[in-house]
Amino acid sequence: MKNQEELYDLRHVSVQKSSLKVLDQISFNLLSGQALSILGPSGSGKTTLLKVLMGIEKYTGELRYKSKDLSLLDNILFRRSLGYVNQGSLLFPHLKVRDNIILQARLLNWTEGQIEERLDEVLQIFDLNKNLLDRSSAQVSGGQKQRVALARALFIKPQLLVLDEPFSALDQMLKKELLEEFSGYLKKIGISVLFVTHSLSEARNLCDFYILLNAGKMTDQGNFNNETSDLSEFGRQFFGSF
């Protein structure tokens, strides 16, 4: 890609909780259009790092988003600008499917015309039938909930999509089907992605780049096309275990 903008620039970012250093001197950058997977075992600091990048976790060090100090941005507006799917792809149970999908657009004061035009697009992209729109989230299947959550995350055409273990609750067949569809769509639109997962196969499917955490430290970073080059001892053990 030409003229890629630097989306994130982290320099020596740390998070301390009581006597525990949850993140320790994390430094990397992410360019616009790149898809980055944050890998590591349980307790390595993946979720904490994601919270830092979303502006909901205090940190020390320097963190810039689009060349601006993240800590000085309007936190609410920044978070509303992101596409986000969490573990379990939680939908708001008191809202109908339609209202779940268009929620961010409402918060950003989109017009009804803009909402209806985009709604038609995302229904087609995620193979969702219009007859689902008036149902409550409790009335749709697990696979449909996943598609609704992804449609909601991408509805406002965010520059950055944040995925926190979004496929973990799905059975293997459904997960494979959705991953294939979703990865193809993400590559087509060239969106930036932050993807936290325990699954190396999912990470390889959706992302080109990775960072690997262990006990709060970043032990490795690189490209999945060349993931075995210059790995740390922990990195060789981690990649070799899959």
Side-chain angles (χ1 to χ4, degrees):
M1 294 182 185
K2 296 181 180 180
N3 301 321
Q4 283 179 294
E5 175 188 18
E6 189 170 68
L7 204 60
Y8 279 106
D9 182 20
L10 286 77
R11 301 184 186 184
H12 312 295
V13 168
S14 298
V15 173
Q16 183 95 20
K17 294 186 177 181
S18 299
S19 60
L20 178 64
K21 210 157 203 179
V22 183
L23 291 178
D24 189 2
Q25 301 286 312
I26 305 295
S27 299
F28 68 88
N29 62 11
L30 178 70
L31 300 182
S32 176
Q34 289 184 339
L36 177 74
S37 181
I38 303 172
L39 296 167
S42 296
S44 60
K46 301 188 301 298
T47 298
T48 299
L49 177 57
L50 199 65
K51 288 180 179 179
V52 167
L53 295 169
M54 293 178 69
I56 54 178
E57 182 74 65
K58 292 183 179 179
Y59 62 90
T60 58
E62 185 177 346
L63 172 50
R64 304 186 77 79
Y65 179 78
K66 295 185 179 180
S67 301
K68 297 178 181 178
D69 187 334
L70 183 66
S71 66
L72 300 180
L73 298 181
D74 184 307
N75 190 265
I76 293 176
L77 288 180
F78 171 65
R79 289 167 62 186
R80 285 180 181 175
S81 74
L82 306 176
Y84 177 60
V85 185
N86 61 359
Q87 189 170 2
S89 304
L90 297 178
L91 302 178
F92 294 102
H94 62 289
L95 296 179
K96 292 180 179 180
V97 167
R98 182 184 192 278
D99 294 322
N100 266 286
I101 293 175
I102 68 173
L103 179 62
Q104 273 183 286
R106 288 267 193 234
L107 294 173
L108 294 172
N109 298 315
W110 282 30
T111 67
E112 285 301 318
Q114 290 173 316
I115 287 174
E116 291 305 316
E117 182 179 355
R118 181 58 176 160
L119 187 57
D120 286 339
E121 291 175 353
V122 298
L123 291 178
Q124 184 174 357
I125 290 166
F126 292 101
D127 194 25
L128 290 165
N129 196 300
K130 280 190 174 182
N131 63 20
L132 291 176
L133 293 179
D134 290 326
R135 297 183 188 179
S136 72
S137 59
Q139 293 176 304
V140 296
S141 68
Q144 288 171 331
K145 284 181 181 178
Q146 191 75 28
R147 292 177 187 275
V148 170
L150 293 171
R152 180 178 63 187
L154 289 170
F155 192 88
I156 62 166
K157 299 182 180 179
Q159 186 171 1
L160 177 65
L161 177 64
V162 180
L163 303 171
D164 187 5
E165 299 275 8
F167 307 107
S168 60
L170 300 179
D171 64 59
Q172 289 301 315
M173 184 176 295
L174 184 56
K175 182 186 298 185
K176 184 175 183 295
E177 175 187 332
L178 199 53
L179 270 171
E180 288 177 355
E181 292 178 17
F182 193 48
S183 62
Y185 176 68
L186 291 183
K187 289 171 184 175
K188 179 180 177 181
I189 64 175
I191 192 173
S192 303
V193 179
L194 290 171
F195 182 28
V196 167
T197 181
H198 287 86
S199 170
L200 192 53
S201 63
E202 290 179 18
R204 287 179 177 138
N205 206 314
L206 287 184
C207 300
D208 297 317
F209 301 93
Y210 70 87
I211 61 172
L212 178 61
L213 303 182
N214 184 39
K217 295 180 181 291
M218 190 175 78
T219 63
D220 299 270
Q221 62 178 315
N223 189 312
F224 279 121
N225 293 326
N226 194 26
E227 68 189 35
T228 58
S229 176
D230 301 321
L231 289 174
S232 68
E233 181 179 351
F234 175 76
R236 288 193 297 271
Q237 293 173 351
F238 181 85
F239 284 107
S241 66
F242 288 90

